[in-house]
């Protein structure tokens, strides 16, 4: 406990603004209680620039002023909280249970009553488990498919900001290390951020299919001065087992379970960049950030590059990553920013 308190105080003392401190507190609470509803509400209230693309695309297709969330359980309640944070204040609940009860400040209506009162409403499915049954129920009641929004993920999503590139301005002759290139979009964002005025890019992406997507995107956009490696960033050169998410390609990660995995090569950043004067390191690598930071120790201690490191993959990341960064260079100024209405996309920035 004493060691945990030491890390808390150490990191908190280096946070440079109130936004960072609030996010640190929100993230720390979530790492303990795992309450998505509380996390969504706290983050949602912190910002007023959310862009709920999934919802807005649907409202362009089916314009309406009335929104009904079908499902008053945990996912439904959380969906209503998200909608309220995004400026949609008059949200109605309907359900086949809890009818007449007051939940999140509103009465739960039956499907029949919701249709009677709000015949032109957009119905948002508020359950992952019963998603198909709910959709079938609405269709059986005569609701048009165009009136139904089934979220892609468990919860509706919104985003904000320009992740990794909205805290500080680019420097002349940037040498950028992108750990977790994924499909190449972060490389494109870096090029746009610098207006193509940079010296070198080192990119790492371990999974073959996504790596090929990145190669193609880089080719199509004529990106030069880039070394793209089909490797994972790690603390040393080592063969690793990777669990690959073939459904949407995101979220592939290192695992100790060798069944249904692929073998990839892990490498340390220090051995790849050598004596290069690295100016900026970004890491978003599905929980391997701390290992990869160990593998970039010499570079960080020698060059003091600005850092943009994901701290949302593991509960302990909120403490361990910041603590290790400050071990390497105690003078780093720390900032935290959050870019998703979900629990994903919290970034710790370190600025020398």
């Amino acid at each position: 406990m004493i060691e945990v308190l030491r890390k808390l105080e150490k990191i908190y003392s280096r946070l440079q603004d109130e936004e960072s401190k609030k996010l640190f507190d929100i993230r720390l609470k979530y790492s303990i209680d795992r309450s998505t509803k509380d996390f969504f509400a706290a983050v949602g209230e912190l910002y007023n620039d959310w862009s709920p693309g999934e919802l807005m695309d649907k409202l362009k297709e089916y314009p309406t002023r009335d929104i009904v969330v079908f499902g008053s359980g945990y996912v439904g309640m959380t969906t209503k909280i998200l909608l309220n944070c995004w400026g949609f204040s008059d949200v109605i609940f309907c359900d086949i249970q809890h009818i007449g009860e007051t939940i999140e400040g509103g009465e739960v209506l039956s499907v029949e009553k919701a249709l009677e009162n709000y015949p032109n409403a957009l119905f948002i499915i508020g359950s992952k488990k019963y998603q198909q049954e709910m959709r079938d129920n609405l269709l059986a009641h005569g609701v048009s498919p165009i009136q139904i929004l089934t979220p892609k993920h468990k919860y509706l999503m919104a985003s904000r900001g320009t992740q990794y590139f909205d805290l500080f301005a680019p420097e002349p002759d940037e040498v950028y290390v992108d750990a977790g290139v994924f499909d190449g979009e972060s490389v494109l964002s870096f090029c746009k951020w610098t207006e193509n005025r940079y010296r070198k890019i080192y990119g790492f992406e371990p999974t073959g299919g996504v790596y090929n997507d990145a190669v193609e995107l880089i080719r199509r956009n004529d990106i030069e001065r880039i070394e793209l490696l089909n490797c994972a960033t790690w603390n040393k050169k080592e063969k690793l087992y990777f669990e690959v998410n073939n459904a949407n390609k995101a979220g592939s990660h290192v695992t100790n379970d060798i069944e249904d995995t692929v073998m990839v090569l892990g490498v340390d950043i220090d051995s790849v960049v050598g004596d290069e004067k690295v100016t900026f390191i970004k890491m978003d690598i599905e929980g391997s950030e701390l290992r990869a930071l160990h593998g970039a120790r010499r570079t960080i201690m020698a060059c003091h590059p600005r850092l943009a490191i994901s701290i949302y993959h593991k509960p302990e990341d909120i403490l361990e990553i910041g603590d290790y960064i400050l071990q390497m260079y105690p003078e780093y100024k720390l900032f935290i920013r959050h870019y998703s209405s979900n629990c994903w996309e919290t970034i710790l920035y370190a600025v020398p």
Side-chain angles (χ1 to χ4, degrees), residues 76-87:
M77 286 191 289
T78 306
T79 300
K80 186 176 186 297
I81 288 170
L82 287 169
L83 290 164
N84 292 162
C85 291
W86 304 338

Side-chain angles (χ1 to χ4, degrees), residues 34-275:
R34 311 308 285 174
S35 172
T36 53
K37 184 159 66 72
D38 289 351
F39 184 92
F40 290 3
V43 167
E45 291 168 3
L46 188 60
Y47 297 107
N48 59 10
D49 59 345
W50 292 109
S51 177
E54 190 176 15
L55 175 61
M56 298 312 295
D57 287 347
K58 189 66 176 180
L59 289 175
K60 288 177 185 177
E61 181 185 16
Y62 183 76
T64 182
R65 297 175 61 183
D66 299 323
I67 294 179
V68 176
V69 175
F70 186 9
S72 56
Y74 191 87
V75 175
M77 286 191 289
T78 306
T79 300
K80 186 176 186 297
I81 288 170
L82 287 169
L83 290 164
N84 292 162
C85 291
W86 304 338
F88 298 89
S89 55
D90 299 322
V91 177
I92 311 302
F93 275 129
C94 79
D95 209 334
I96 58 175
Q97 303 179 52
H98 309 294
I99 296 168
E101 295 181 20
T102 299
I103 296 177
E104 291 295 329
E107 181 185 358
V108 180
L109 306 180
S110 66
V111 177
E112 293 81 3
K113 192 66 175 178
L115 280 168
E116 179 184 333
N117 293 351
Y118 309 98
N120 298 313
L122 174 65
F123 286 82
I124 300 176
I125 303 296
S127 171
K128 188 69 174 178
K129 183 176 181 180
Y130 301 107
Q131 199 175 77
Q132 190 58 52
E133 292 94 323
M134 288 178 162
R135 180 178 174 83
D136 291 343
N137 188 307
L138 291 174
L139 294 173
H141 278 86
V143 179
S144 168
I146 201 173
Q147 284 181 258
I148 304 171
L149 172 56
T150 304
K152 179 181 177 183
H153 300 286
K154 187 174 183 178
Y155 304 100
L156 274 176
M157 292 290 296
S159 60
R160 55 164 305 279
T162 307
Q163 191 166 332
Y164 317 122
F165 304 107
D166 65 358
L167 188 77
F168 40 73
E171 295 181 351
D173 295 324
E174 289 276 5
V175 177
Y176 172 56
V177 175
D178 190 331
V181 164
F182 190 53
D183 60 5
E185 286 294 338
S186 57
V187 171
L188 262 61
S189 295
F190 169 79
C191 293
K192 181 179 179 181
W193 180 62
T194 61
E195 297 179 337
N196 289 317
R197 291 194 288 269
Y198 60 89
R199 190 163 84 243
K200 182 72 180 284
I201 300 171
Y202 293 90
F204 300 82
E205 178 51 51
T207 53
V210 182
Y211 170 82
N212 292 335
D213 292 342
V215 169
E216 177 59 22
L217 189 70
I218 288 164
R219 185 195 63 79
R220 288 201 312 269
N221 286 273
D222 298 319
I223 295 174
E224 300 178 335
R225 305 185 301 284
I226 181 169
E227 185 177 338
L228 184 60
L229 288 79
N230 190 192
C231 301
T233 45
W234 200 237
N235 63 326
K236 59 184 177 181
K237 188 173 183 179
E238 183 178 9
K239 291 181 179 178
L240 304 170
Y241 292 104
F242 244 64
E243 183 177 319
V244 178
N245 186 345
N246 291 313
N248 60 14
K249 297 185 179 181
S252 300
H253 58 274
V254 176
T255 179
N256 291 323
D257 186 356
I258 65 173
E259 291 187 17
D260 299 319
T261 59
V262 297
M263 188 172 286
V264 304
L265 179 63
V267 296
D268 59 288
I269 288 171
D270 285 343
S271 66
V272 173
V273 302
D275 295 326

